[in-house]
Amino acid sequence: MKIVQTDPAAIREAAAILAQGGLVAFPTETVYGLGADARNDQAVANIFAAKNRPQLNPLIVHVRDLESAAAYAEFDDRARALAARYWPGPLTLVLPRRANGGLSLLVSAGLDSVALRVPAHPTAQALLSGFDGPIAAPSANASGAVSPTRAEHVAQSLGDKVDLIIDDGPCTIGLESTVVDLSGETICVLRHGAVTLEDLTREFGTVADATADTDGTVKSPGMLARHYATNRPLHLNARSAAPNEAYLAFGETGPTRAAATENLSPSGDLTEAAANLFAQLRALDQPQFTAIAVAPIPDHGLGRAINDRLRRAATPS
Ligand code: TXA
Ligand code: MG
């Protein structure tokens, strides 16, 4: 781990690390983000490993401007109006993902939507320009710790799990961005932030608040994103598959009778398994198979996050 003050040389070094699949912590106006190339499955899997997250939640993809964002998601009139009003700034838009946009499926946790944000912070902007690509970045802290608003917080929380930290002093807002879901008819706030429900309502009329149940109690923020569910039933902890089933293997496997097999990681590497999870599940979720049998995944480290996603994928929402 290395901390550098922001300057053009630091930006060049950070961009090179991102291009090689490494992790760079950088400041935004909300909180420091833990960034990776959003097109690189393995790099995105490394974010989850570094944070020790118990869940593979979808991540925010940071882009330079609206034009770059439009390469990855479909913008309707509402999305364009919100982007025109609040970007660059502390607002994240959840939009339908373009299938051929090139983003890692892990970034969306297998969903057909993607969360996009154009940060206003000059160092974040410089990094996005220098890297010239989309940067996936959750807050740069270990899972369960508070979000970092100074480079020292990142160093304390993540240590050597991050390759480079760009220091540009404290974040001005200090609270994560407002997340707004535009995939339904009503604009829906998934996470509160500096762009408030009142701001949005004033300009855009009815806005739903998904963080509060009808009785006013707050739902768990991690549970707000819809989860990816396969169309075929999933049989978890399966040591073999029937001839009409597909098999999602892990580690060394002998020959199976399965109609098709993918292996999350032949060498038993959990980070590689996380990187492959959603692409391989989709590849096997085909009508010619009656079910997808999934091998047991060790329930430690990133394996816990993989098992959490598999259990949710196995249970229709
Ligand atoms: O201020 C911020 O937003 C910071 C800085 C670094 O940009 N980033 C951040 O990212 O807080 P993260 O990954 O910790 O939070 C992402 C939030 C989560 O609440 C997640 O559930 C939601 O956005 N989210 C991401 N993609 C989604 C999707 N496709 N559908 C629904 N919710 C999504
Ligand atoms: Mg966070």
Side-chain angles (χ1 to χ4, degrees), residues 30 33 53 58 60 62 94 113 115 117 137-139 176-177 190-191 225:
T30 57
R53 260 204 189 178
I60 296 171
H62 299 71
V94 174
S113 56
R117 166 165 185 241
S139 51
E176 292 95 335
S177 62
L190 299 182
R191 183 173 74 185

Side-chain angles (χ1 to χ4, degrees), residues 26 28 30-34 51 53 57-60 62 92 94-95 107-108 111 113-115 117 119 137-140 147 175-179 181 190-191 221-222 224-226:
F26 63 97
T28 80
T30 57
V31 300
Y32 275 73
L34 179 62
K51 283 183 66 95
R53 260 204 189 178
N57 293 330
L59 303 175
I60 296 171
H62 299 71
T92 295
V94 174
L95 299 167
V107 137
S108 292
L111 299 171
S113 56
V114 62
R117 166 165 185 241
S139 51
S147 291
L175 193 67
E176 292 95 335
S177 62
T178 305
V179 180
D181 184 359
L190 299 182
R191 183 173 74 185
L224 289 172
R226 268 196 307 267

